[in-house]
C-alpha cells in the first residue's frame, strides 16, 4: 500500500497519461484516441475515488457527467452521440458553476472587475458565434446546433465564474480552478477546430489540455484542507 501511494501520485499519472495520449494521437486513428481519452478519464476518476474517503458530491457528479460525455464521444458522428456529448458537457460545466456560487454571497465588485468581465463575455461570445458559423454547416439537425450554443454559453459562464472566484478569494485553490477552466476552453476550441475544419495538429493541444483539466479537477477534489481554508477566508471577508 505504501509503495502504491509513493509512486502512483497524481503528478506521475498525469505525465504518463499525457505521453500516452500524445503518442496515440500521433500514431493512431481518431476512433482509437477517443477510446484512450475515455480510459484516461476513467483512470483519473478511479484515482480520485481511491484516494479520498470523504469526497465532494459536486466533484463526483461533475466526473459522472464528463464520463457520460466521453462515452457519447465514441459515437459523435451519430446524432444522439453528438447531442449527448454536448448535453453532459453543458451539465458538467454548469455544475462546477453552481459549486462556486456560494462564494459570491455579499460580493461587491469593482468597476474594473465588471468591465473586465464584460470584455470576457464579448470576446468569448464572438468566438462562440464564429465557431457556431463553422459548426452549422456540419451538424445533423437544429437541436444539435442549439445544444452547441448552450454548450458554449455554459463554458462562458464557467469562465466568468472562475474569474470572479479568483478575484474574490485570490487563493492557490481559486487560481488552480481558473487554470482548469482555461484548459477546458483551450481543449474545447482546439477539438472543435480540429474536427470541423480538419486542423489535425490541434488534436495535440486538445489532448494535452483535456488531461490537464481533468487532473486539476482531481486536485481540487482532493484538496480538502485548501477547501477548509477557503471557507475560513470567505467568512473573514464577510465580516
Amino acid at each position: 500500500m505504501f509503495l502504491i501511494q509513493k509512486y502512483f501520485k497524481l503528478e506521475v499519472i498525469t505525465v504518463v497519461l499525457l505521453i500516452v495520449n500524445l503518442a496515440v494521437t500521433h500514431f493512431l486513428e481518431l476512433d482509437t484516441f477517443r477510446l484512450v481519452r475515455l480510459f484516461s478519464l476513467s483512470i483519473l476518476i478511479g484515482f480520485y475515488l481511491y484516494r479520498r474517503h470523504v469526497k465532494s458530491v459536486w466533484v463526483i457528479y461533475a466526473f459522472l457527467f464528463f464520463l457520460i460525455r466521453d462515452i457519447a464521444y465514441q459515437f459523435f458522428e451519430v446524432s444522439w452521440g453528438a447531442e449527448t456529448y454536448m448535453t453532459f458537457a453543458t451539465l458538467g460545466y454548469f455544475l462546477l458553476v453552481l459549486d462556486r456560487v456560494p462564494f459570491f454571497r455579499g460580493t461587491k465588485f469593482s468597476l474594473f472587475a465588471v468591465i473586465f468581465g464584460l470584455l470576457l463575455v464579448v470576446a468569448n461570445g464572438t468566438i462562440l458565434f464564429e465557431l457556431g458559423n463553422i459548426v452549422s454547416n456540419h451538424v445533423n439537425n437544429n437541436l444539435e446546433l442549439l445544444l452547441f450554443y448552450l454548450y458554449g454559453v455554459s463554458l462562458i459562464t464557467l469562465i466568468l465564474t472562475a474569474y470572479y472566484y479568483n478575484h474574490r478569494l485570490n487563493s492557490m485553490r481559486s487560481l488552480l480552478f481558473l487554470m482548469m477552466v482555461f484548459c477546458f476552453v483551450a481543449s474545447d476550441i482546439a477539438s472543435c477546430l480540429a474536427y470541423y475544419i480538419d486542423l489535425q495538429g490541434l488534436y495535440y493541444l486538445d489532448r494535452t489540455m483535456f488531461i490537464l483539466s481533468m487532473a486539476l479537477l482531481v486536485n481540487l477534489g482532493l484538496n480538502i484542507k485548501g477547501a477548509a481554508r477557503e471557507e475560513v477566508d470567505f467568512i473573514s471577508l464577510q465580516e
Side-chain angles (χ1 to χ4, degrees):
M1 183 66 70
F2 174 75
L3 289 175
I4 291 176
Q5 292 182 348
K6 180 179 179 180
Y7 293 107
F8 285 83
K9 295 182 178 180
L10 180 59
E11 295 87 348
V12 175
I13 292 174
T14 301
V15 171
V16 171
L17 290 178
L18 281 171
I19 294 171
V20 170
N21 276 265
L22 290 175
V24 170
T25 301
H26 182 75
F27 291 108
L28 300 176
E29 298 299 322
L30 180 62
D31 290 346
T32 305
F33 65 70
R34 280 181 182 173
L35 191 59
V36 171
R37 167 174 150 152
L38 175 60
F39 284 146
S40 301
L41 176 58
S42 301
I43 289 170
L44 288 170
I45 293 173
F47 177 83
Y48 172 67
L49 295 176
Y50 167 76
R51 288 301 297 268
R52 282 292 176 189
H53 295 293
V54 180
K55 302 175 181 68
S56 167
V57 173
W58 294 98
V59 172
I60 290 175
Y61 277 123
F63 271 133
L64 176 61
F65 290 153
F66 292 141
L67 184 62
I68 296 172
R69 175 192 67 177
D70 269 53
I71 292 173
Y73 192 29
Q74 313 306 308
F75 311 96
F76 195 77
E77 282 69 33
V78 185
S79 292
W80 70 263
E83 291 163 6
T84 303
Y85 177 94
M86 294 176 191
T87 297
F88 279 92
T90 300
L91 290 173
Y93 289 158
F94 274 133
L95 190 70
L96 293 174
V97 169
L98 290 174
D99 185 33
R100 299 296 92 188
V101 165
F103 289 99
F104 299 149
R105 294 195 307 269
T107 301
K108 295 180 180 179
F109 296 110
S110 65
L111 179 60
F112 172 79
V114 172
I115 292 174
F116 188 74
L118 290 174
L119 290 175
L120 282 176
V121 172
V122 172
N124 287 281
T126 301
I127 293 172
L128 176 59
F129 179 76
E130 293 298 327
L131 290 175
N133 287 336
I134 295 171
V135 171
S136 62
N137 297 320
H138 302 276
V139 294
N140 297 304
N141 52 57
N142 290 332
L143 175 60
E144 196 173 317
L145 184 60
L146 174 62
L147 289 172
F148 175 81
Y149 279 112
L150 288 175
Y151 182 11
V153 168
S154 69
L155 189 53
I156 293 173
T157 306
L158 184 58
I159 293 169
L160 280 176
T161 301
Y163 163 63
Y164 283 122
Y165 168 48
N166 187 61
H167 177 78
R168 178 69 190 264
L169 290 179
N170 195 26
S171 64
M172 178 56 69
R173 199 162 186 265
S174 66
L175 179 60
L176 289 175
F177 188 90
L178 186 63
M179 291 171 60
M180 177 189 71
V181 174
F182 171 79
C183 291
F184 282 145
V185 174
S187 175
D188 287 345
I189 293 177
S191 64
C192 181
L193 293 175
Y195 183 78
Y196 288 110
I197 60 176
D198 201 31
L199 294 177
Q200 297 291 315
L202 287 177
Y203 277 125
Y204 294 100
L205 177 61
D206 167 36
R207 292 299 176 264
T208 301
M209 294 295 104
F210 172 78
I211 295 298
L212 291 178
S213 65
M214 292 297 107
L216 285 167
L217 183 55
V218 171
N219 178 274
L220 288 166
L222 293 177
N223 191 2
I224 304 299
K225 292 182 179 179
R229 285 195 298 269
E230 276 191 342
E231 292 288 347
V232 174
D233 292 342
F234 179 65
I235 292 172
S236 66
L237 286 172
Q238 291 184 306
E239 293 177 351

